[in-house]
Amino acid sequence: NSLYEKGFNFLKGIKVIFENEDIVILFKPVGVLSQQAKDNDISVNEWLVGYLINKGEITPKTLESFKPSVCNRLDRNTAGLVLCGKTMRGLQGLSKMLKERTLNKYYITLCEGIFDSVKDVKAFIVKDHKTNKSLVVNKTGDKDASPIHTVFYPIASSNNSTLLKIHLLTGKSHQIRAQLSNLSHPIVGDVKYGAHKLKSNAGDKSHQLLVAYMAGFPKRCPEFPEMSGKIIVCDLPEEFKKILKETGFEKWEHGLQEV
């Protein structure tokens, strides 16, 4: 299928971080869709199928009965780890872990202002599909509101911004972006949620500096025993590193993966 070929050939920024016979964990760059929004979109899903066809692991015939797929979605302009099932076992196992929250997902971001303490935040969120924005609400006054849970860990502050490590316990659309905006600490560059447009030597940025950088499998992982205790980490995009350096975080740049 030409869409899969296109996906594999055109989406050059996607990298394989980890792979075994059932799952593949990819790095998705900024600007790439996790899944199609329209029929002719090229997303991580098309790249994945093209990649597996190219490796000879699947064929157009096997696609008729099973299609490998991404299991978690990142916003178009959020970079980082995307978990994918190559087989039915892989897809079902990852989906179960994400649903039961046994797989730990961590993000790194730079937010505006001084975020001075660990915050463990439970709230509710509502998606406005017209504006494609999410709104944090404190009680279930809205029947469409979903519960959310996030823990924010400040790593360091500099130039009125804070580098945060974030443990995402639920995975609702725009959850981190909406919560930080609600806490008056919008993500640097996230103009949609009230941040200033970022002026940087890396160029004018009007997208959020947010990276899904770590996935931690539980110590005992019945779905994938061979993954028990494994931690998968990706590098930060070069643009993010440059901005961290410009903002005065260069000494943290190399320590991020140990955070």
PDB file of all heavy atoms in Angstrom, residues 2 44 65 73 76 107-108 115 119 125 135 139 173-174 189 201 203 210 213 217 223 233 238 243 250:
ATOM      1  N   SER A   2       0.588   2.175  -0.924  1.00  0.00           N
ATOM      2  CA  SER A   2       1.457   3.339  -1.096  1.00  0.00           C
ATOM      3  C   SER A   2       1.492   4.230   0.147  1.00  0.00           C
ATOM      4  O   SER A   2       2.483   4.891   0.414  1.00  0.00           O
ATOM      5  CB  SER A   2       1.020   4.163  -2.303  1.00  0.00           C
ATOM      6  OG  SER A   2      -0.284   4.672  -2.091  1.00  0.00           O
ATOM      7  N   VAL A  44       2.186   7.931  12.588  1.00  0.00           N
ATOM      8  CA  VAL A  44       3.084   6.889  13.115  1.00  0.00           C
ATOM      9  C   VAL A  44       2.565   5.502  12.722  1.00  0.00           C
ATOM     10  O   VAL A  44       3.349   4.598  12.407  1.00  0.00           O
ATOM     11  CB  VAL A  44       3.213   6.995  14.653  1.00  0.00           C
ATOM     12  CG1 VAL A  44       4.058   5.848  15.208  1.00  0.00           C
ATOM     13  CG2 VAL A  44       3.838   8.324  15.044  1.00  0.00           C
ATOM     14  N   SER A  65      -5.865  -9.726   8.281  1.00  0.00           N
ATOM     15  CA  SER A  65      -6.380 -10.308   9.527  1.00  0.00           C
ATOM     16  C   SER A  65      -5.896  -9.577  10.781  1.00  0.00           C
ATOM     17  O   SER A  65      -6.562  -9.605  11.817  1.00  0.00           O
ATOM     18  CB  SER A  65      -6.004 -11.789   9.620  1.00  0.00           C
ATOM     19  OG  SER A  65      -4.609 -11.931   9.475  1.00  0.00           O
ATOM     20  N   ARG A  73      -1.330   7.668  22.362  1.00  0.00           N
ATOM     21  CA  ARG A  73      -1.270   8.782  21.412  1.00  0.00           C
ATOM     22  C   ARG A  73      -0.608   9.994  22.048  1.00  0.00           C
ATOM     23  O   ARG A  73      -0.935  10.353  23.181  1.00  0.00           O
ATOM     24  CB  ARG A  73      -2.676   9.160  20.949  1.00  0.00           C
ATOM     25  CG  ARG A  73      -3.230   8.181  19.937  1.00  0.00           C
ATOM     26  CD  ARG A  73      -4.616   8.569  19.497  1.00  0.00           C
ATOM     27  NE  ARG A  73      -5.574   8.477  20.586  1.00  0.00           N
ATOM     28  CZ  ARG A  73      -6.871   8.730  20.474  1.00  0.00           C
ATOM     29  NH1 ARG A  73      -7.370   9.122  19.329  1.00  0.00           N
ATOM     30  NH2 ARG A  73      -7.682   8.605  21.499  1.00  0.00           N
ATOM     31  N   ARG A  76       0.222  16.037  18.249  1.00  0.00           N
ATOM     32  CA  ARG A  76       1.086  16.238  17.073  1.00  0.00           C
ATOM     33  C   ARG A  76       2.414  16.919  17.459  1.00  0.00           C
ATOM     34  O   ARG A  76       3.480  16.521  16.991  1.00  0.00           O
ATOM     35  CB  ARG A  76       0.356  17.099  16.031  1.00  0.00           C
ATOM     36  CG  ARG A  76       1.149  17.269  14.740  1.00  0.00           C
ATOM     37  CD  ARG A  76       0.621  18.427  13.919  1.00  0.00           C
ATOM     38  NE  ARG A  76      -0.596  18.085  13.204  1.00  0.00           N
ATOM     39  CZ  ARG A  76      -0.625  17.663  11.934  1.00  0.00           C
ATOM     40  NH1 ARG A  76       0.499  17.523  11.259  1.00  0.00           N
ATOM     41  NH2 ARG A  76      -1.780  17.385  11.370  1.00  0.00           N
ATOM     42  N   TYR A 107       7.138  12.275  31.595  1.00  0.00           N
ATOM     43  CA  TYR A 107       7.380  13.335  30.624  1.00  0.00           C
ATOM     44  C   TYR A 107       8.368  14.342  31.210  1.00  0.00           C
ATOM     45  O   TYR A 107       8.489  14.466  32.427  1.00  0.00           O
ATOM     46  CB  TYR A 107       6.081  14.080  30.311  1.00  0.00           C
ATOM     47  CG  TYR A 107       5.089  13.317  29.467  1.00  0.00           C
ATOM     48  CD1 TYR A 107       4.467  12.153  29.943  1.00  0.00           C
ATOM     49  CD2 TYR A 107       4.742  13.744  28.190  1.00  0.00           C
ATOM     50  CE1 TYR A 107       3.551  11.453  29.178  1.00  0.00           C
ATOM     51  CE2 TYR A 107       3.820  13.042  27.403  1.00  0.00           C
ATOM     52  CZ  TYR A 107       3.231  11.907  27.901  1.00  0.00           C
ATOM     53  OH  TYR A 107       2.327  11.214  27.133  1.00  0.00           O
ATOM     54  N   ILE A 108       9.031  15.071  30.326  1.00  0.00           N
ATOM     55  CA  ILE A 108       9.871  16.210  30.716  1.00  0.00           C
ATOM     56  C   ILE A 108       9.288  17.437  30.028  1.00  0.00           C
ATOM     57  O   ILE A 108       8.921  17.385  28.849  1.00  0.00           O
ATOM     58  CB  ILE A 108      11.331  15.997  30.236  1.00  0.00           C
ATOM     59  CG1 ILE A 108      12.035  14.934  31.078  1.00  0.00           C
ATOM     60  CG2 ILE A 108      12.116  17.298  30.262  1.00  0.00           C
ATOM     61  CD1 ILE A 108      12.486  15.378  32.447  1.00  0.00           C
ATOM     62  N   PHE A 115       8.050  26.779  39.784  1.00  0.00           N
ATOM     63  CA  PHE A 115       7.207  25.688  40.307  1.00  0.00           C
ATOM     64  C   PHE A 115       7.998  25.122  41.481  1.00  0.00           C
ATOM     65  O   PHE A 115       9.009  24.450  41.293  1.00  0.00           O
ATOM     66  CB  PHE A 115       7.052  24.657  39.180  1.00  0.00           C
ATOM     67  CG  PHE A 115       5.885  23.730  39.320  1.00  0.00           C
ATOM     68  CD1 PHE A 115       4.761  23.880  38.516  1.00  0.00           C
ATOM     69  CD2 PHE A 115       5.910  22.673  40.224  1.00  0.00           C
ATOM     70  CE1 PHE A 115       3.680  23.004  38.610  1.00  0.00           C
ATOM     71  CE2 PHE A 115       4.849  21.789  40.331  1.00  0.00           C
ATOM     72  CZ  PHE A 115       3.732  21.963  39.517  1.00  0.00           C
ATOM     73  N   LYS A 119       3.813  18.444  43.223  1.00  0.00           N
ATOM     74  CA  LYS A 119       2.358  18.551  43.302  1.00  0.00           C
ATOM     75  C   LYS A 119       1.730  17.277  42.744  1.00  0.00           C
ATOM     76  O   LYS A 119       1.998  16.884  41.621  1.00  0.00           O
ATOM     77  CB  LYS A 119       1.852  19.758  42.497  1.00  0.00           C
ATOM     78  CG  LYS A 119       2.125  21.104  43.171  1.00  0.00           C
ATOM     79  CD  LYS A 119       1.498  22.247  42.390  1.00  0.00           C
ATOM     80  CE  LYS A 119       1.542  23.571  43.142  1.00  0.00           C
ATOM     81  NZ  LYS A 119       2.864  24.039  43.483  1.00  0.00           N
ATOM     82  N   ILE A 125     -11.380  16.587  33.758  1.00  0.00           N
ATOM     83  CA  ILE A 125     -11.087  17.306  32.523  1.00  0.00           C
ATOM     84  C   ILE A 125     -12.226  17.123  31.524  1.00  0.00           C
ATOM     85  O   ILE A 125     -12.854  16.069  31.481  1.00  0.00           O
ATOM     86  CB  ILE A 125      -9.736  16.817  31.942  1.00  0.00           C
ATOM     87  CG1 ILE A 125      -9.138  17.831  30.987  1.00  0.00           C
ATOM     88  CG2 ILE A 125      -9.853  15.440  31.288  1.00  0.00           C
ATOM     89  CD1 ILE A 125      -7.652  17.585  30.700  1.00  0.00           C
ATOM     90  N   LEU A 135     -10.335  21.489  29.237  1.00  0.00           N
ATOM     91  CA  LEU A 135     -10.518  22.385  30.377  1.00  0.00           C
ATOM     92  C   LEU A 135     -10.521  21.561  31.654  1.00  0.00           C
ATOM     93  O   LEU A 135     -11.235  20.565  31.761  1.00  0.00           O
ATOM     94  CB  LEU A 135     -11.858  23.129  30.223  1.00  0.00           C
ATOM     95  CG  LEU A 135     -12.187  24.168  31.286  1.00  0.00           C
ATOM     96  CD1 LEU A 135     -11.260  25.377  31.169  1.00  0.00           C
ATOM     97  CD2 LEU A 135     -13.652  24.620  31.166  1.00  0.00           C
ATOM     98  N   LYS A 139     -14.833  19.445  39.805  1.00  0.00           N
ATOM     99  CA  LYS A 139     -15.829  18.459  40.223  1.00  0.00           C
ATOM    100  C   LYS A 139     -16.593  17.959  39.001  1.00  0.00           C
ATOM    101  O   LYS A 139     -16.532  18.547  37.928  1.00  0.00           O
ATOM    102  CB  LYS A 139     -16.771  19.042  41.274  1.00  0.00           C
ATOM    103  CG  LYS A 139     -17.444  20.348  40.888  1.00  0.00           C
ATOM    104  CD  LYS A 139     -18.316  20.804  42.044  1.00  0.00           C
ATOM    105  CE  LYS A 139     -19.043  22.096  41.731  1.00  0.00           C
ATOM    106  NZ  LYS A 139     -18.152  23.251  41.617  1.00  0.00           N
ATOM    107  N   SER A 173      -6.665  13.527  26.662  1.00  0.00           N
ATOM    108  CA  SER A 173      -6.199  14.478  25.655  1.00  0.00           C
ATOM    109  C   SER A 173      -5.803  15.818  26.285  1.00  0.00           C
ATOM    110  O   SER A 173      -6.572  16.399  27.045  1.00  0.00           O
ATOM    111  CB  SER A 173      -7.321  14.694  24.626  1.00  0.00           C
ATOM    112  OG  SER A 173      -6.938  15.638  23.675  1.00  0.00           O
ATOM    113  N   HIS A 174      -4.582  16.271  25.986  1.00  0.00           N
ATOM    114  CA  HIS A 174      -4.056  17.566  26.455  1.00  0.00           C
ATOM    115  C   HIS A 174      -3.972  17.653  27.979  1.00  0.00           C
ATOM    116  O   HIS A 174      -3.930  18.755  28.533  1.00  0.00           O
ATOM    117  CB  HIS A 174      -4.907  18.739  25.947  1.00  0.00           C
ATOM    118  CG  HIS A 174      -4.883  18.906  24.458  1.00  0.00           C
ATOM    119  ND1 HIS A 174      -5.358  20.035  23.829  1.00  0.00           N
ATOM    120  CD2 HIS A 174      -4.452  18.102  23.465  1.00  0.00           C
ATOM    121  CE1 HIS A 174      -5.223  19.920  22.516  1.00  0.00           C
ATOM    122  NE2 HIS A 174      -4.673  18.740  22.270  1.00  0.00           N
ATOM    123  N   GLY A 189       6.129  27.876  25.254  1.00  0.00           N
ATOM    124  CA  GLY A 189       5.804  27.740  23.833  1.00  0.00           C
ATOM    125  C   GLY A 189       4.366  27.331  23.555  1.00  0.00           C
ATOM    126  O   GLY A 189       3.946  27.325  22.403  1.00  0.00           O
ATOM    127  N   ASN A 201      17.089  31.013  19.711  1.00  0.00           N
ATOM    128  CA  ASN A 201      18.030  30.837  18.597  1.00  0.00           C
ATOM    129  C   ASN A 201      17.650  29.608  17.781  1.00  0.00           C
ATOM    130  O   ASN A 201      18.088  29.433  16.657  1.00  0.00           O
ATOM    131  CB  ASN A 201      19.464  30.682  19.113  1.00  0.00           C
ATOM    132  CG  ASN A 201      19.948  31.976  19.751  1.00  0.00           C
ATOM    133  OD1 ASN A 201      19.484  33.049  19.377  1.00  0.00           O
ATOM    134  ND2 ASN A 201      20.834  31.872  20.715  1.00  0.00           N
ATOM    135  N   GLY A 203      14.816  29.240  16.760  1.00  0.00           N
ATOM    136  CA  GLY A 203      13.697  29.709  15.936  1.00  0.00           C
ATOM    137  C   GLY A 203      12.501  30.081  16.797  1.00  0.00           C
ATOM    138  O   GLY A 203      12.453  29.739  17.974  1.00  0.00           O
ATOM    139  N   LEU A 210       7.381  19.692  25.295  1.00  0.00           N
ATOM    140  CA  LEU A 210       6.916  18.556  26.102  1.00  0.00           C
ATOM    141  C   LEU A 210       7.370  17.270  25.438  1.00  0.00           C
ATOM    142  O   LEU A 210       7.151  17.079  24.241  1.00  0.00           O
ATOM    143  CB  LEU A 210       5.384  18.602  26.203  1.00  0.00           C
ATOM    144  CG  LEU A 210       4.695  17.493  27.001  1.00  0.00           C
ATOM    145  CD1 LEU A 210       5.089  17.527  28.475  1.00  0.00           C
ATOM    146  CD2 LEU A 210       3.168  17.608  26.873  1.00  0.00           C
ATOM    147  N   TYR A 213       9.367  11.004  27.723  1.00  0.00           N
ATOM    148  CA  TYR A 213      10.754  10.565  27.629  1.00  0.00           C
ATOM    149  C   TYR A 213      11.052   9.217  28.286  1.00  0.00           C
ATOM    150  O   TYR A 213      12.102   8.629  28.055  1.00  0.00           O
ATOM    151  CB  TYR A 213      11.689  11.657  28.176  1.00  0.00           C
ATOM    152  CG  TYR A 213      11.996  11.541  29.654  1.00  0.00           C
ATOM    153  CD1 TYR A 213      13.258  11.151  30.099  1.00  0.00           C
ATOM    154  CD2 TYR A 213      11.021  11.813  30.612  1.00  0.00           C
ATOM    155  CE1 TYR A 213      13.531  11.042  31.450  1.00  0.00           C
ATOM    156  CE2 TYR A 213      11.283  11.708  31.954  1.00  0.00           C
ATOM    157  CZ  TYR A 213      12.549  11.323  32.359  1.00  0.00           C
ATOM    158  OH  TYR A 213      12.812  11.202  33.701  1.00  0.00           O
ATOM    159  N   PHE A 217       8.426  -0.326  32.831  1.00  0.00           N
ATOM    160  CA  PHE A 217       7.621  -1.537  33.003  1.00  0.00           C
ATOM    161  C   PHE A 217       7.694  -1.974  34.463  1.00  0.00           C
ATOM    162  O   PHE A 217       8.726  -1.806  35.116  1.00  0.00           O
ATOM    163  CB  PHE A 217       8.142  -2.643  32.071  1.00  0.00           C
ATOM    164  CG  PHE A 217       7.788  -2.418  30.625  1.00  0.00           C
ATOM    165  CD1 PHE A 217       8.534  -1.530  29.852  1.00  0.00           C
ATOM    166  CD2 PHE A 217       6.715  -3.063  30.043  1.00  0.00           C
ATOM    167  CE1 PHE A 217       8.206  -1.283  28.517  1.00  0.00           C
ATOM    168  CE2 PHE A 217       6.374  -2.827  28.714  1.00  0.00           C
ATOM    169  CZ  PHE A 217       7.124  -1.942  27.944  1.00  0.00           C
ATOM    170  N   GLU A 223       2.168  -9.535  31.581  1.00  0.00           N
ATOM    171  CA  GLU A 223       1.874  -9.458  30.141  1.00  0.00           C
ATOM    172  C   GLU A 223       3.119  -9.763  29.305  1.00  0.00           C
ATOM    173  O   GLU A 223       3.047 -10.429  28.273  1.00  0.00           O
ATOM    174  CB  GLU A 223       1.341  -8.059  29.757  1.00  0.00           C
ATOM    175  CG  GLU A 223      -0.010  -7.715  30.351  1.00  0.00           C
ATOM    176  CD  GLU A 223       0.087  -7.220  31.792  1.00  0.00           C
ATOM    177  OE1 GLU A 223       1.211  -7.012  32.307  1.00  0.00           O
ATOM    178  OE2 GLU A 223      -0.965  -7.052  32.413  1.00  0.00           O
ATOM    179  N   VAL A 233      14.077   4.767  27.706  1.00  0.00           N
ATOM    180  CA  VAL A 233      14.251   6.220  27.731  1.00  0.00           C
ATOM    181  C   VAL A 233      14.633   6.714  26.344  1.00  0.00           C
ATOM    182  O   VAL A 233      15.373   6.028  25.627  1.00  0.00           O
ATOM    183  CB  VAL A 233      15.383   6.599  28.730  1.00  0.00           C
ATOM    184  CG1 VAL A 233      15.599   8.105  28.768  1.00  0.00           C
ATOM    185  CG2 VAL A 233      15.057   6.108  30.125  1.00  0.00           C
ATOM    186  N   GLU A 238      16.951  17.864  19.794  1.00  0.00           N
ATOM    187  CA  GLU A 238      18.033  18.857  19.785  1.00  0.00           C
ATOM    188  C   GLU A 238      17.500  20.255  20.077  1.00  0.00           C
ATOM    189  O   GLU A 238      18.123  21.037  20.792  1.00  0.00           O
ATOM    190  CB  GLU A 238      18.765  18.847  18.430  1.00  0.00           C
ATOM    191  CG  GLU A 238      19.684  17.648  18.245  1.00  0.00           C
ATOM    192  CD  GLU A 238      20.676  17.460  19.397  1.00  0.00           C
ATOM    193  OE1 GLU A 238      21.344  18.456  19.788  1.00  0.00           O
ATOM    194  OE2 GLU A 238      20.782  16.335  19.918  1.00  0.00           O
ATOM    195  N   ILE A 243      17.196  25.035  23.682  1.00  0.00           N
ATOM    196  CA  ILE A 243      16.403  25.982  24.470  1.00  0.00           C
ATOM    197  C   ILE A 243      16.753  25.863  25.951  1.00  0.00           C
ATOM    198  O   ILE A 243      16.866  26.859  26.666  1.00  0.00           O
ATOM    199  CB  ILE A 243      14.895  25.795  24.197  1.00  0.00           C
ATOM    200  CG1 ILE A 243      14.599  26.255  22.760  1.00  0.00           C
ATOM    201  CG2 ILE A 243      14.035  26.560  25.197  1.00  0.00           C
ATOM    202  CD1 ILE A 243      13.278  25.802  22.189  1.00  0.00           C
ATOM    203  N   GLU A 250      21.930  24.241  31.163  1.00  0.00           N
ATOM    204  CA  GLU A 250      22.875  23.332  30.522  1.00  0.00           C
ATOM    205  C   GLU A 250      23.396  22.248  31.449  1.00  0.00           C
ATOM    206  O   GLU A 250      23.630  21.127  31.048  1.00  0.00           O
ATOM    207  CB  GLU A 250      24.039  24.079  29.851  1.00  0.00           C
ATOM    208  CG  GLU A 250      24.849  24.985  30.757  1.00  0.00           C
ATOM    209  CD  GLU A 250      24.335  26.417  30.747  1.00  0.00           C
ATOM    210  OE1 GLU A 250      23.256  26.627  31.336  1.00  0.00           O
ATOM    211  OE2 GLU A 250      24.985  27.290  30.187  1.00  0.00           O
TER     212      GLU A 250
END
